[in-house]
């Protein structure tokens, strides 16, 4: 990680840690997901900086070395997007390129929804933009599909899942999270969740050092900040009512692994490939499905993802 610089900036009432490299070029802002950190973009930071870009990856609100407000209501989509707008301003930019993954993709979609003037072009990984369904709240929808043990549903009770996670070795937990490859979904039974006894070697894209970085940070911070994003899903649904039917009008590229659980939600493949996605994201220019790749695509296929980002943003 030589050459990556770190600093704290004040944004939207909180202190935010950012990692950056390649100052002076066009800014590419990379937003991580759960349960991750800026570190998930380590390969892209180096790859983009080597091509003359100013690569910036924050720890999002509630994660790593960024402040984690205690109130669940402080993790609404308005707060999350507000942090990023403020960061763009702190970086002295009118517009930036944005890359998002998982929850970072959701924040990036809504940044483009609220403030398209701030985004030159968008590359989002894993999570497509799904239009708001006025008939059903998101958590209720997932519960109807998968039941109470689905991870999104299990995260709703404040402190509940944290108490369960506290029973596990965090490094083993991260090994399980990052190696997870079941597109059928992720379940955490309330009556007793058993961590798989995984003695297998790590895949080539994941090292002991990587696991140490994630686990050492989470040993200090815990998971509550990131879990609070899920706890705001239904309240976000209420707050976002004025944007029902709105489109994302930013040039966009979407990349997903064919083993990503988000790609296997009912109806998502048809939505992505049969016109629904293009209807709500009219400037969608490219959809890439990577074979044999699971959820943590920017780490598993780091070089390929970096090349996909570069090939797209170099047009602008």
């Amino acid at each position: 990680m030589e050459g990556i610089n770190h600093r704290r900036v004040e944004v939207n009432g909180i202190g935010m840690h950012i990692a950056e490299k390649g100052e002076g070029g066009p800014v590419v802002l990379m937003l991580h997901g759960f349960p991750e950190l800026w570190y998930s973009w380590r390969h892209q930071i180096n790859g983009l900086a080597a091509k003359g870009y100013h690569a910036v990856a924050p720890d999002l609100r509630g994660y790593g070395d960024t402040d984690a407000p205690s109130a669940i209501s402080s993790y609404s989509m308005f707060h999350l997007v507000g942090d990023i707008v403020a960061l763009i301003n702190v970086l002295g930019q009118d517009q930036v390129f944005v890359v998002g993954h998982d929850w970072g993709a959701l924040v990036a979609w809504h940044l483009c929804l609220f403030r398209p003037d701030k985004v030159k072009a968008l590359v989002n990984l894993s999570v497509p933009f799904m239009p708001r369904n006025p008939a059903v709240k998101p958590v209720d929808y997932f519960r109807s599909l998968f039941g109470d043990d689905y991870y999104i549903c299990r995260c709703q009770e404040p402190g509940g899942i944290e108490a369960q996670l506290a029973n596990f070795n965090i490094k083993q937990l991260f090994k399980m999270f990052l190696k997870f490859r079941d597109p059928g979904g992720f379940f955490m039974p309330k009556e007793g969740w058993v961590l798989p006894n995984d003695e297998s070697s790590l895949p080539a894209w994941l090292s002991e050092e990587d696991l140490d970085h994630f686990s050492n940070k989470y040993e200090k911070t815990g998971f509550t900040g990131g879990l609070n994003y899920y706890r705001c899903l239904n309240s976000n649904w209420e707050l976002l009512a004025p944007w029902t039917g709105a489109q994302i009008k930013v040039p966009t590229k979407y990349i997903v692994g064919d083993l990503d659980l988000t790609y296997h939600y009912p109806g998502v493949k048809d939505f992505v490939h049969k016109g629904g996605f293009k209807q709500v994201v009219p400037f969608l220019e490219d959809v890439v499905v990577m074979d044999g790749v699971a959820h943590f695509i920017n780490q598993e296929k780091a070089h390929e993802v970096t090349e996909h980002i570069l090939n797209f943003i170099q047009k602008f």
Side-chain angles (χ1 to χ4, degrees):
M1 296 298 99
E2 287 184 17
I4 296 179
N5 299 313
H6 299 267
R7 59 179 168 131
R8 274 176 66 86
V9 295
E10 294 298 316
V11 298
N12 199 24
I14 64 169
M16 172 176 276
H17 164 251
I18 64 172
E20 58 188 335
K21 189 174 183 177
E23 294 182 42
V27 171
V28 184
L29 187 56
M30 292 171 280
L31 310 179
H32 68 81
F34 179 88
E36 300 180 83
L37 300 164
W38 75 267
Y39 187 81
S40 305
W41 300 107
R42 58 198 178 278
H43 304 294
Q44 286 76 32
I45 290 173
N46 285 318
L48 291 167
K51 295 294 185 179
Y53 290 91
H54 179 186
V56 180
D59 284 333
L60 296 181
R61 173 181 292 242
Y63 287 92
D65 293 320
T66 290
D67 290 349
S70 57
I72 293 173
S73 59
S74 295
Y75 294 82
S76 78
M77 191 57 72
F78 293 142
H79 289 84
L80 305 179
V81 172
D83 295 345
I84 303 308
V85 171
L87 176 57
I88 293 169
N89 293 336
V90 165
L91 294 170
Q93 303 296 307
D94 294 322
Q95 278 192 322
V96 298
F97 295 110
V98 178
V99 184
H101 172 253
D102 187 78
W103 263 104
L106 285 170
V107 174
W109 287 127
H110 287 87
L111 170 65
C112 295
L113 189 64
F114 302 155
R115 294 298 304 273
D117 59 302
K118 289 293 185 182
V119 184
K120 292 180 186 176
L122 171 69
V123 180
N124 258 348
L125 315 180
S126 177
V127 179
F129 177 70
M130 300 299 291
R132 180 183 182 272
N133 181 350
V136 61
K137 296 180 180 182
V139 178
D140 300 349
Y141 173 71
F142 284 112
R143 185 172 284 116
S144 72
L145 285 178
F146 302 115
D148 291 336
D149 288 343
Y150 196 61
Y151 77 102
I152 289 172
C153 305
R154 284 280 289 111
C155 289
Q156 298 305 311
E157 179 191 349
I161 201 67
E162 289 94 328
Q164 200 164 6
L165 292 175
N167 295 322
F168 300 117
N169 176 283
I170 287 189
K171 187 172 181 179
Q172 288 299 315
L173 201 58
F174 267 94
K175 183 178 180 181
M176 184 273 295
F177 283 146
L178 295 172
K179 289 180 64 179
F180 186 79
R181 306 183 71 77
D182 181 1
F186 188 66
F187 297 87
M188 306 172 79
K190 188 172 185 178
E191 64 273 11
W193 181 46
V194 178
L195 196 65
N197 185 17
D198 184 0
E199 299 298 332
S200 62
S201 60
L202 295 175
W205 56 271
L206 185 64
S207 70
E208 292 289 343
E209 182 183 8
D210 297 333
L211 288 177
D212 286 339
H213 186 95
F214 286 112
S215 58
N216 288 343
K217 285 296 179 187
Y218 276 81
E219 287 277 7
K220 297 175 183 176
T221 66
F223 290 87
T224 297
L227 291 169
N228 282 341
Y229 288 49
Y230 294 96
R231 292 167 182 151
C232 284
L233 278 169
N234 278 355
S235 59
N236 281 333
W237 177 86
E238 296 176 5
L239 293 168
L240 292 169
W243 286 270
T244 302
Q247 295 175 311
I248 302 289
K249 294 185 176 179
V250 168
T252 300
K253 182 172 188 172
Y254 171 69
I255 309 170
V256 67
D258 69 345
L259 297 178
D260 194 320
L261 58 85
T262 62
Y263 188 55
H264 289 263
Y265 286 148
V268 166
K269 288 183 184 179
D270 282 349
F271 173 77
V272 168
H273 298 293
K274 295 184 177 180
F277 198 12
K278 181 73 172 177
Q279 188 173 354
V280 295
V281 188
F283 303 141
L284 177 69
E285 296 190 16
D286 197 10
V287 171
V288 177
V289 181
M290 300 182 75
D291 293 338
V293 183
H295 182 66
F296 297 98
I297 188 170
N298 48 328
Q299 297 184 74
E300 183 176 347
K301 291 294 181 182
H303 176 73
E304 293 91 333
V305 167
T306 302
E307 289 300 307
H308 277 302
I309 294 168
L310 283 166
N311 290 339
F312 187 62
I313 67 176
Q314 284 170 353
K315 300 177 184 180
F316 302 95

